[in-house]
Amino acid sequence: MAGYKPVAIQAYPVLGEKITQDTLYWNNYKTPVQIKEFGAVSKVDFSLQPPYNYAVTASSRIHIYGRYSQEPIKTFSRFKDTAYCATFRQDGKLLVAGSEDGGIQLFDISGRAPLRQFEGHTKAVHTVDFTADKYHVVSGADDYTVKLWDIPNSKEILTFKEHSDYVRCGCASKLNPDLFVTGSYDHTVKMFDARTNQSVISVEHGQPVESVLLFPSGGLLVSAGGRYIKVWDMLKGGQLLVSLKNHHKTVTCLCLSSSGQRLLSGSLDRKVKVYSTSSYKVVHSFDYAASILSLALAHEDETIVVGMTNGILSVKHRKSEAKKDSLPRRRRPAYRTFIKGKNYMKQQPSCAIKTPEITVSIIKELNRRGVLANALAGRDEKEISRVLNFLIRNLSQPRFAPVLINAAEIIIDIYLPVIGQSPVVDKKFLLLQGLVEKEIDYQRELLETLGMMDMLFATMTSKESPSLLQHNASDGFLENKKIES
């Protein structure tokens, strides 16, 4: 098996996606790099300062990664139990994190030992953040309290006890050092003002709140919990603007693009969805291999990092063509370079047409592994046309029909919502639908015919059995008469 080389499986296209600018933008990432962590990745946070490193919180450790490194460049492991919510300060020099034992630790990025420790919570601290003035830390814990800490003196300044259940998420205003927001499992989201010692706005999300996000301007607040994402207008006292329900399972994390015009959400349904912040419609979607717990975008959306429940960290880097322009102009290759290998026919696509058995075998194996839908999704118009041509050409062959009908039904389910965006593909799509329906009707009629034949055979067998018994009985009677005579 040492010399075994896996078969290169060509994935199939998504109809119409290349038409939108969002699809072009969000599809322009390289193949993801996967990094295995020690436990579920509960938080990913990017530094706002170059070189834009990011902190990954998993199990009892915090790893600092460079944007293009696959190994941590620094590790903080001074935690007795599980660590939570490692967050960079705005200047990228300090890092704060909560823990399962109720403690909060402040680290200097250039060191390893905790710079400060804040003790006051009696249960796990799941959310921490720096205020806008950089000198205070706000925290929320499972003891139902929200606390404000002073960094220079390592002292607790304020305690808010307005929540009636676990406080699992929160964020501080980027403009006002006295304002911060927390979300709780009591289904409420509250905005606190340190100057009044109480909440100034409280909204009812309707589900246990898993994540909150305050827009940089401070005018809009996004809350996520259950299958719902809700957007609130804070300038109107917390008026609900829109309620979104596009995920099939609990939404666990939220993130804004660098421009602030796109909202990203991750969920336990293994999907990351991208919304327009003007229409709040889904403009793109990513699929992952496991349930998603955390999500973060780098500066200028150059890198997207997703943390999952199985401990896998998925890192996608944006494809960059600017480097080609910065390279010095080289001498153009000779003419023989361009014509080299032009007669090598084995690389041409026509070979795949002559051997449909290989393609069908690959489709069957992908279906057995449960990833056929993923392989058929996310492709452009040219590739989907090739897939439809292959299915139309080979669907009627009895040896391929069971496998290709299943693949055709999956394609129909994926692309039916976006039909009408390409006349060429639409024509082939409708033709494929007709062939599938015709093939299914043919198989249904065949099964009905086989059933009728089975009934006829069973009836004939039941009629022949009594006649055979009578014939055997008469033979026995004649033999007895002969013996007596």
Side-chain angles (χ1 to χ4, degrees):
M1 296 298 290
Y4 172 72
K5 184 178 181 180
V7 177
I9 301 176
Q10 181 180 358
Y12 303 100
V14 162
L15 174 61
E17 281 196 344
K18 70 172 187 177
I19 298 176
T20 66
Q21 292 297 322
D22 279 288
T23 302
L24 292 174
Y25 184 80
W26 295 105
N27 274 342
N28 193 30
Y29 285 96
K30 300 177 183 178
T31 303
V33 176
Q34 294 190 344
I35 303 172
K36 178 64 177 175
E37 286 290 340
F38 291 92
V41 182
S42 59
K43 180 66 183 291
V44 179
D45 187 64
F46 271 94
S47 171
L48 298 179
Q49 303 299 323
Y52 306 110
N53 296 333
Y54 59 94
V56 176
T57 310
S59 185
S60 60
R61 302 183 182 187
I62 299 171
H63 287 156
I64 308 297
Y65 289 89
R67 279 178 59 188
Y68 299 100
S69 65
Q70 299 184 28
E71 296 293 334
I73 59 178
K74 185 179 284 292
T75 300
F76 299 103
S77 57
R78 301 293 183 93
F79 294 92
K80 298 177 182 178
D81 208 330
T82 307
Y84 295 112
C85 198
T87 305
F88 281 103
R89 196 168 71 172
Q90 295 88 322
D91 57 8
K93 296 180 179 179
L94 296 181
L95 183 79
V96 67
S99 64
E100 183 69 28
D101 60 7
I104 302 171
Q105 298 190 40
L106 183 72
F107 297 93
D108 187 340
I109 293 301
S110 60
R112 291 190 179 274
L115 190 66
R116 295 282 191 275
Q117 294 189 2
F118 306 101
E119 302 292 340
H121 286 291
T122 58
K123 291 186 179 180
V125 179
H126 282 268
T127 176
V128 288
D129 198 6
F130 290 95
T131 58
D133 60 9
K134 305 178 185 178
Y135 298 113
H136 298 89
V137 171
V138 60
S139 63
D142 286 354
D143 59 6
Y144 310 167
T145 65
V146 178
K147 294 180 181 291
L148 184 66
W149 309 85
D150 183 62
I151 294 177
N153 299 322
S154 302
K155 291 183 179 181
E156 177 186 323
I157 300 176
L158 292 172
T159 299
F160 302 91
K161 299 181 179 180
E162 298 187 23
H163 285 296
S164 58
D165 208 332
Y166 299 154
V167 181
R168 289 294 176 91
C169 56
C171 62
S173 170
K174 305 302 180 186
L175 301 177
N176 192 326
D178 296 312
L179 295 179
F180 45 90
V181 178
T182 58
S184 170
Y185 277 14
D186 62 7
H187 300 188
T188 64
V189 179
K190 296 180 182 293
M191 174 175 279
F192 295 95
D193 190 336
R195 296 165 294 188
T196 62
N197 297 336
Q198 62 182 2
S199 63
V200 291
I201 296 177
S202 180
V203 296
E204 180 72 25
H205 180 80
Q207 300 283 338
V209 184
E210 300 286 350
S211 181
V212 292
L213 177 66
L214 195 61
F215 274 59
S217 63
L220 295 178
L221 172 68
V222 186
S223 62
R227 296 171 58 190
Y228 294 89
I229 299 173
K230 296 187 178 182
V231 183
W232 312 86
D233 188 344
M234 306 309 287
L235 300 180
K236 294 184 179 180
Q239 178 181 338
L240 179 63
L241 293 180
V242 64
S243 178
L244 308 173
K245 188 181 178 183
N246 294 294
H247 287 283
H248 301 297
K249 292 185 179 180
T250 301
V251 182
T252 56
C253 51
L254 298 169
C255 177
L256 271 180
S257 66
S258 58
S259 64
Q261 297 179 358
R262 296 294 179 264
L263 172 68
L264 284 74
S265 65
S267 168
L268 297 181
D269 63 4
R270 305 182 181 185
K271 293 182 181 294
V272 170
K273 293 188 180 292
V274 184
Y275 305 84
S276 167
T277 55
S278 57
S279 64
Y280 293 106
K281 293 182 179 180
V282 177
V283 296
H284 195 69
S285 179
F286 297 97
D287 292 327
Y288 288 87
S291 298
I292 298 168
L293 288 181
S294 53
L295 167 69
L297 278 172
H299 177 69
E300 298 296 334
D301 303 335
E302 289 296 321
T303 307
I304 178 170
V305 182
V306 172
M308 292 173 268
T309 54
N310 60 357
I312 295 295
L313 193 68
S314 175
V315 184
K316 290 183 179 180
H317 300 291
R318 184 169 295 281
K319 298 175 183 177
S320 176
E321 298 182 357
K323 295 181 179 179
K324 297 181 180 179
D325 298 332
S326 62
L327 293 176
R329 184 178 296 274
R330 297 183 179 180
R331 180 182 175 185
R332 296 182 62 184
Y335 177 72
R336 63 176 181 273
T337 304
F338 295 102
I339 65 172
K340 183 179 179 181
K342 70 174 184 178
N343 296 323
Y344 183 61
M345 301 301 294
K346 216 166 188 179
Q347 298 294 333
Q348 295 182 0
S350 59
C351 293
I353 298 175
K354 296 180 181 178
T355 56
E357 296 84 359
I358 297 177
T359 306
V360 174
S361 299
I362 292 174
I363 294 174
K364 185 176 181 181
E365 178 64 18
L366 289 173
N367 186 52
R368 185 187 70 82
R369 298 185 183 186
V371 295
L372 181 57
N374 293 339
L376 292 174
R379 311 300 166 182
D380 57 28
E381 182 181 5
K382 181 179 178 181
E383 289 183 311
I384 193 62
S385 297
R386 293 174 60 189
V387 177
L388 293 175
N389 288 336
F390 177 84
L391 292 175
I392 292 169
R393 189 185 307 111
N394 297 284
L395 188 65
S396 59
Q397 298 190 36
R399 55 178 179 162
F400 299 150
V403 177
L404 296 186
I405 287 177
N406 180 52
E409 290 177 340
I410 292 175
I411 288 179
I412 292 172
D413 291 339
I414 294 174
Y415 299 128
L416 188 59
V418 294
I419 197 69
Q421 299 183 11
S422 170
V424 177
V425 175
D426 292 350
K427 183 177 179 180
K428 297 177 181 178
F429 190 84
L430 294 175
L431 179 59
L432 177 63
Q433 275 187 307
L435 287 175
V436 171
E437 292 174 358
K438 182 179 178 181
E439 190 69 21
I440 292 176
D441 291 339
Y442 171 75
Q443 292 188 5
R444 186 182 298 112
E445 292 176 1
L446 183 60
L447 290 174
E448 291 176 357
T449 305
L450 290 174
M452 295 171 60
M453 294 176 65
D454 289 339
M455 292 178 62
L456 290 173
F457 290 148
T459 304
M460 293 174 61
T461 304
S462 62
K463 288 182 178 180
E464 289 177 359
S465 297
S467 62
L468 289 174
L469 290 173
Q470 292 177 2
H471 178 72
N472 292 336
S474 62
D475 290 346
F477 178 77
L478 291 174
E479 289 178 1
N480 291 334
K481 286 291 184 179
K482 290 180 181 179
I483 292 172
E484 290 177 359
S485 62

